[in-house]
Amino acid sequence: MDPAGSVSAALSSRRSVRAFTAQPVDDAVLQRVIARASLAPSGGNLQPWHLYVLRGRVLDDLKTIMTERVRAFPEGEAGHGEGVEYNIYPSPLQSPYKERRVAFGEALYGSLGIARDDAAARRAWHERNYRFFDAPVGLFCYVERGHGKPQWADLGMYLMSLMLLLREEGLHSCPQECWARYARSVDAYVQPAEGMMLFCGVAIGHADLSHSANQFPRQRAPVREFATFLGDP
């Protein structure tokens, strides 16, 4: 895909890509984007993001490990050494967020032609998350366990900056909080510094735009649902 020439173009063309081509990512481009994204704001300039970037054989070996792990323990059960350290979604998920999540799932699986009651097909698709959707680069973002919600917000600003800069370079990505379900397995593989907690993974590469998973319309709430304007213009 052509590079995005403006912030608006990068944002408009960004989507969570769930199918990548085998085309490699230029390492100089990758390192440049990761460095530039560090210009993202952070409270007190703490820059709390810690990244582990996997390519080549190192990434391939992790995909093999995770395929076996996910098939053995599909939900990353705590009783098998996994367990999520934070709630990915609130429980219970209230309106309108529940409806938005349901609508997204219907759009994704509908685009794939996977029926709601087709457990085997849904399980097979779920496993693709843990292969970074076959992207040639997988990134893990960690944060200090002692850091709080403001630092987590800083991670979001860094990651958004990263994803927009990737679009500027003609690349795509998919942020994946699902990796937190298998944090122990990821920790054992990348060996993060003591005290670090896995926040998410990010798949990075060239989008396979012919794949149906990358074609369904993105849904966003209208401004009136989330913004209140006060005062005279």
Side-chain angles (χ1 to χ4, degrees):
M1 175 173 284
D2 292 336
S6 69
V7 174
S8 293
L11 189 57
S12 297
S13 62
R14 191 216 67 80
R15 67 179 298 144
S16 294
V17 163
R18 293 176 173 83
F20 292 85
T21 71
Q23 182 179 350
V25 173
D26 184 280
D27 198 60
V29 170
L30 182 62
Q31 296 205 31
R32 179 168 66 242
V33 166
I34 288 171
R36 285 179 177 171
S38 69
L39 295 173
S42 62
N45 198 33
L46 296 189
Q47 305 171 66
W49 41 82
H50 297 263
L51 310 181
Y52 295 82
V53 185
L54 284 63
R55 291 106 16 120
R57 181 62 180 272
V58 171
L59 178 59
D60 291 340
D61 288 349
L62 175 66
K63 290 178 181 179
T64 299
I65 291 170
M66 291 308 301
T67 295
E68 296 174 357
R69 187 68 174 165
V70 172
R71 288 178 181 174
F73 310 110
E75 300 301 324
E77 295 95 332
H80 297 285
E82 299 290 350
V84 184
E85 290 194 61
Y86 67 91
N87 293 324
I88 296 176
Y89 299 108
S91 182
L93 193 58
Q94 304 289 350
S95 180
Y97 314 109
K98 181 178 180 179
E99 291 82 359
R100 291 174 185 170
R101 188 183 181 204
V102 168
F104 165 75
E106 290 176 346
L108 172 60
Y109 285 104
S111 74
L112 296 168
I114 299 176
R116 181 184 293 273
D117 60 354
D118 191 343
R122 286 183 172 243
R123 185 165 53 250
W125 179 258
H126 173 73
E127 290 176 5
R128 289 173 58 86
N129 280 279
Y130 301 99
R131 299 201 304 271
F132 286 107
F133 299 108
D134 297 322
V137 177
L139 178 151
F140 290 116
C141 181
Y142 279 77
V143 66
E144 295 265 6
R145 281 193 176 85
H147 285 184
K149 294 177 181 178
Q151 287 73 52
W152 287 42
D154 294 343
L155 297 187
M157 288 188 280
Y158 176 88
L159 292 168
M160 190 71 230
S161 299
L162 177 75
M163 289 185 283
L164 294 180
L165 288 166
L166 289 168
R167 287 299 306 117
E168 185 181 60
E169 298 284 356
L171 296 165
H172 269 285
S173 61
C174 183
Q176 299 175 268
E177 290 173 317
C178 65
W179 281 98
R181 299 184 188 279
Y182 294 89
R184 303 300 187 278
S185 291
V186 176
D187 289 354
Y189 192 76
V190 304
Q191 295 291 302
E194 185 176 355
M196 292 292 174
M197 185 189 76
L198 178 62
F199 175 63
C200 73
V202 182
I204 298 172
H206 295 271
D208 178 359
L209 296 179
S210 67
H211 198 288
S212 57
N214 295 330
Q215 296 180 353
F216 66 92
R218 295 172 296 168
Q219 301 176 5
R220 292 296 185 270
V223 171
R224 67 178 180 274
E225 287 191 17
F226 62 84
T228 301
F229 294 85
L230 305 175
D232 297 327

